[in-house]
Amino acid sequence: MYKIKNHPVDPDYAKDANITEQQYQAWYKESLEQPDQFWAARAKQFLDWSKPWSSVNEYNFAKGETTWFKDGKLNACYNCIDRHLEKRGNQVAIIWEGDDPSEDLSITYRQLYEQVGRLSNALLAQGVKKGDRVCLYMPMIPEAAYAMLACARIGAVHSVVFGGFSPESLKDRILDSDCQVLITADEGLRGGRSIALKENADKALAHCPDVRCCLVVKRTGAEIGWNNSRDVWYHDAVADMSPDCPAQEMDSEDPMFILYTSGSTGKPKGVMHTTAGYMLGSAMTHRYILDYREGDIFWCTADVGWITGHSYIVYGPLANGATTLMFEGVPTYPDASRCWQVVDKHKVNTFYTAPTAIRALMSQGNEPVKKFSRASLRLLGTVGEPINPEAWEWYYNVVGETRCPVVDTWWQTETGSIMIAPMPGAHTLKPGSATVPFFGIEPALVDNDGNELQGACEGNLVIKRSWPSQIRSVYGDHQRMIDTYFSTYPDTYFTGDGARRDEDGYYWITGRVDDVLNVSGHRMGTAEIESALVLHDAVAEAAVVGYPHDIKGQGVYAYVTLMAGIQPSEALRKELLDAVSKEIGAIAKPDLIQWAPGLPKTRSGKIMRRILRKIAANELDTLGDTSTLADPAVVNELIDNRANR
Ligand code: WT7
């Protein structure tokens, strides 16, 4: 076992931190005991309102209802841009760093205002109205942020679809939320390779007759298909538009965006977030957990296609008037020192990334890190999956040279902002632990029957009360939200994660307890991958599980039963990988496929995934009871023929 060493608060760091331990304790107590008082004060401090609220919070988990700052009026884009103009119009809002190290841009708050205003007017000219859904399928270029903010400005609801998703996935998401406008680019650029976004969009839109307008940013200038009645160049659309566009007054609970995420069953769900609570959650956690201080240069390496990009590239940092860095490329291009080169180039103070990136960089050794000074770094953060203590220590010792605390932040698409994480000036850090709850967050651990566990224990992680940036609905299927999150354990929000709590009350997330995989920080449902596999004519049945992977955290392990008479082959393996890429996207491709003449099933025909997970993980001595299987012999067959790795 790796020996875990605690890291007490560094007094040098704590001197200038936003929150001390004492303050955390006092505020946390107030946030639970007098929540209305606590949150009202924060809502006034962090956001500008055009009309005050009538009640701070009302909620009923059983009905899946919650309101925060009811009847209050505000605009998210105004809060991210307009209100900063007087004081920081000439301050850089967005530093854009291109895939190619020779390309970058600095966009001031004034310029951001103008860009967003022009695009807002262009969207209005296209007939986009408050409440309409607009789909974004974008590379990591400033226009992605402009588009999100322009939607927020006019009250349209954006649905960002990660550029790595397939045409099929894009189509499903456009149709599910009835988007009638799509914003994309000719191509994306990542790690020196181009991504055919417009070509993918064309394939998707062939099945989306209601999309009347496709705005296309010219990023690479590649040859692309064009539909004159539907496609409009972004630069043409904004060219004659005024930079001034009034911000639509929005209700606190008006929908702000939809973001699709995978669950254990069915198609991805459109997680819906509303305006005030989301903005408050992202701004406050950026200030207190990512410990933002005036003048800091903040870099979150996520893609805007994920919630991390929404909350910590765009909305949280801009609400706080920060300078946020947006990176088009990948950490290993042109080489493994890219992140540190960018840190030095732009004097980045806070660096927030995923464990998978840390492990990938760690595997390249210390030299690429040492080539750059990293002198500006003050704080390091991680998000997306459990971080193994070895990777944590490498991040802390090599990247941060023991000078920068590491905040391990646990949260989800559904939670909108960080839920469990240390405050770097307040908490002893324990590598591998997401530590303690944020203000107002009341976590609990329950056993499988829903009984709350006390003290040091391990169980299913639930949240006992509403918080401002909580999911409000699953778009188009409110009942599905109730069923998924609020029915497993009554009167609580069920996270889908397991966790351990130690004697100091620290939380250690152990990973998903449902059929959701987390591969390189990307979330996917085993059911989605299985559906993609069984679409192939040769496949009779498929079962997908996760298995421990050194870099990705989890890898995708697929057990595939072929139709009678079909022989496995390398060619077929490749066809199946392509099928998953085509159906979902390359990120979901199985790392390993095992040909399985039979799958372990109960007598009622249910696949026993527990056993498949154990076989995939090579944990053969803890297989558990296999006597209830319809045909126990299949287990030995699978063990003897495990996939090569
Ligand atoms: C799932 C949510 C919200 C950020 C990006 C992922 C896992 C997230 C941590 C962490 C251990 C983590 C959980 C969670 N997860 N952060 N710090 N430690 N696990 O968002 O795609 O909605 O996935 O990611 O399993 O349920 P997401």
Side-chain angles (χ1 to χ4, degrees):
M1 251 294 270
Y2 190 87
K3 180 92 179 62
I4 292 172
K5 175 173 152 232
N6 293 350
H7 297 266
V9 174
D10 175 349
D12 275 346
Y13 183 93
K15 279 204 308 273
D16 314 309
N18 277 310
I19 297 283
T20 61
E21 155 136 57
Q22 230 179 357
Q23 210 159 21
Y24 169 80
Q25 296 297 354
W27 285 11
Y28 185 67
K29 188 165 182 286
E30 184 195 336
S31 72
L32 294 195
E33 289 173 3
Q34 286 160 308
D36 282 11
Q37 171 186 307
F38 178 85
W39 287 113
R42 299 315 176 285
K44 280 191 198 127
Q45 179 192 344
F46 278 85
L47 299 172
D48 280 14
W49 302 78
S50 52
K51 190 169 160 264
W53 52 87
S54 61
S55 82
V56 174
N57 174 229
E58 290 160 32
Y59 77 97
N60 177 332
F61 274 170
K63 292 192 185 145
E65 288 170 1
T66 189
T67 59
W68 281 88
F69 313 108
K70 193 172 163 196
D71 301 324
K73 305 279 183 200
L74 75 170
N75 180 280
C77 179
Y78 177 91
N79 272 280
C80 287
I81 304 177
D82 304 43
R83 64 169 171 157
H84 302 314
L85 289 177
E86 199 182 329
K87 189 168 157 212
R88 50 179 103 242
N90 295 325
Q91 181 200 309
V92 174
I94 299 177
I95 297 172
W96 176 76
E97 170 77 14
D99 188 53
D100 184 320
S102 68
E103 274 194 283
D104 61 25
L105 282 172
S106 290
I107 300 131
T108 64
Y109 273 93
R110 168 68 55 193
Q111 290 167 332
L112 183 61
Y113 169 85
E114 292 176 358
Q115 294 285 357
V116 170
R118 284 183 215 283
L119 180 57
S120 301
N121 282 319
L123 291 174
L124 290 173
Q126 289 294 339
V128 179
K129 295 185 301 296
K130 178 179 171 183
D132 288 356
R133 278 79 51 215
V134 173
C135 183
L136 275 52
Y137 186 59
M138 300 282 276
M140 286 288 288
I141 54 178
E143 287 82 355
Y146 303 162
M148 293 165 75
L149 291 160
C151 288
R153 190 166 192 87
I154 64 172
V157 178
H158 59 68
S159 165
V160 186
V161 176
F162 173 56
F165 278 123
S166 67
E168 190 67 24
S169 297
L170 176 61
K171 177 204 78 179
D172 286 346
R173 288 159 172 76
I174 289 173
L175 293 176
D176 184 78
S177 47
D178 189 24
C179 294
Q180 303 188 0
V181 170
L182 173 69
I183 308 179
T184 187
D186 50 1
E187 288 184 325
L189 213 51
R190 279 185 97 225
R193 291 207 300 230
S194 53
I195 301 152
L197 293 174
K198 177 61 162 63
E199 190 184 321
N200 288 350
D202 285 341
K203 288 183 189 155
L205 293 185
H207 307 279
C208 304
D210 291 344
V211 173
R212 59 173 189 272
C213 168
C214 177
L215 283 183
V216 186
V217 179
K218 189 178 271 187
R219 169 64 188 105
T220 65
E223 282 277 316
I224 49 170
W226 201 257
N227 174 338
N228 273 321
S229 62
R230 183 195 69 197
D231 300 344
V232 182
W233 282 110
Y234 181 106
H235 56 262
D236 288 337
V238 299
D240 297 326
M241 293 294 162
S242 159
D244 298 309
C245 176
Q248 174 83 38
E249 186 174 77
M250 302 295 282
D251 193 275
S252 292
E253 285 298 336
D254 276 335
M256 181 168 157
F257 65 87
I258 298 165
L259 187 58
Y260 284 85
T261 194
S262 297
S264 45
T265 56
K267 295 245 178 205
K269 296 180 282 280
V271 170
M272 200 184 85
H273 284 287
T274 56
T275 306
Y278 172 78
M279 287 302 293
L280 182 59
S282 53
M284 257 180 92
T285 48
H286 177 253
R287 172 84 57 93
Y288 295 132
I289 294 168
L290 296 161
D291 204 23
Y292 172 70
R293 298 174 319 168
E294 184 70 34
D296 274 356
I297 312 285
F298 180 80
W299 181 14
C300 163
T301 68
D303 190 286
V304 290
W306 311 112
I307 190 71
T308 311
H310 284 58
S311 303
Y312 302 108
I313 294 176
V314 181
Y315 293 113
L318 295 179
N320 288 331
T323 299
T324 181
L325 193 149
M326 181 180 203
F327 177 41
E328 185 181 35
V330 296
T332 48
Y333 178 82
D335 61 47
S337 63
R338 182 67 190 273
C339 290
W340 324 122
Q341 178 244 328
V342 173
V343 164
D344 280 7
K345 178 178 176 187
H346 298 295
K347 306 278 177 288
V348 171
N349 304 110
T350 305
F351 180 73
Y352 187 35
T353 196
T356 187
I358 298 167
R359 288 190 296 261
L361 295 175
M362 181 171 136
S363 76
Q364 305 289 308
N366 299 353
E367 275 325 296
V369 188
K370 304 276 184 212
K371 268 175 45 190
F372 292 91
S373 85
R374 290 153 286 118
S376 55
L377 284 179
R378 183 177 146 261
L379 176 65
L380 300 171
T382 135
V383 57
E385 42 172 329
I387 182 164
N388 47 313
E390 299 89 325
W392 194 105
E393 290 288 357
W394 183 81
Y395 199 30
Y396 178 77
N397 289 304
V398 179
V399 175
E401 293 177 344
T402 71
R403 176 183 79 241
C404 310
V406 172
V407 291
D408 176 355
T409 63
W410 175 85
W411 58 297
Q412 308 176 300
T413 304
E414 296 87 340
T415 71
S417 56
I418 299 169
M419 301 286 278
I420 300 183
M423 289 181 196
H427 297 114
T428 291
L429 306 171
K430 302 189 188 186
S433 171
T435 74
V436 296
F438 186 64
F439 303 130
I441 306 303
E442 192 181 5
L445 298 176
V446 299
D447 66 17
N448 289 339
D449 299 321
N451 304 306
E452 184 169 347
L453 306 167
Q454 302 297 333
C457 60
E458 183 166 342
N460 302 300
L461 179 63
V462 300
I463 311 292
K464 294 211 313 188
R465 62 168 81 193
S466 182
W467 64 97
S469 61
Q470 179 206 304
I471 178 177
R472 295 301 196 271
S473 194
V474 165
Y475 189 84
D477 195 350
H478 193 68
Q479 188 60 39
R480 192 167 171 207
M481 178 188 75
I482 300 173
D483 294 345
T484 311
Y485 306 105
F486 299 103
S487 303
T488 317
Y489 304 109
D491 293 323
T492 62
Y493 166 84
F494 178 44
T495 63
D497 279 317
R500 183 165 70 77
R501 187 171 50 219
D502 69 17
E503 49 297 333
D504 298 323
Y506 273 42
Y507 287 85
W508 301 71
I509 309 298
T510 52
R512 301 289 306 197
V513 295
D514 54 10
D515 292 320
V516 169
L517 302 184
N518 193 328
V519 179
S520 298
H522 299 325
R523 176 165 159 187
M524 47 196 91
T526 53
E528 286 172 79
I529 306 175
E530 289 162 5
S531 310
L533 289 168
V534 297
L535 280 178
H536 194 289
D537 288 342
V539 176
E541 197 168 33
V544 168
V545 298
Y547 73 100
H549 187 289
D550 283 348
I551 303 284
K552 299 178 169 189
Q554 265 187 320
V556 179
Y557 194 116
Y559 295 88
V560 173
T561 306
L562 295 174
M563 292 288 189
I566 306 265
Q567 290 307 312
S569 67
E570 278 315 300
L572 182 54
R573 187 188 301 274
K574 182 160 184 316
E575 279 179 36
L576 295 185
L577 296 181
D578 289 345
V580 175
S581 263
K582 179 171 169 293
E583 221 29 53
I584 305 173
I587 53 173
K589 265 203 272 193
D591 297 279
L592 295 167
I593 291 182
Q594 175 168 357
W595 309 112
L599 294 172
K601 290 186 185 166
T602 60
R603 287 191 196 99
S604 61
K606 197 169 163 328
I607 297 176
M608 297 205 47
R609 292 165 180 286
R610 177 178 57 81
I611 293 176
L612 294 176
R613 277 194 285 267
K614 294 279 182 190
I615 296 174
N618 283 326
E619 290 170 5
L620 304 180
D621 42 351
T622 52
L623 273 187
D625 185 14
T626 55
S627 64
T628 57
L629 291 177
D631 177 9
V634 298
V635 174
N636 290 330
E637 210 301 321
L638 292 178
I639 291 174
D640 291 344
N641 296 300
R642 268 167 289 163
N644 298 324
R645 62 201 101 145

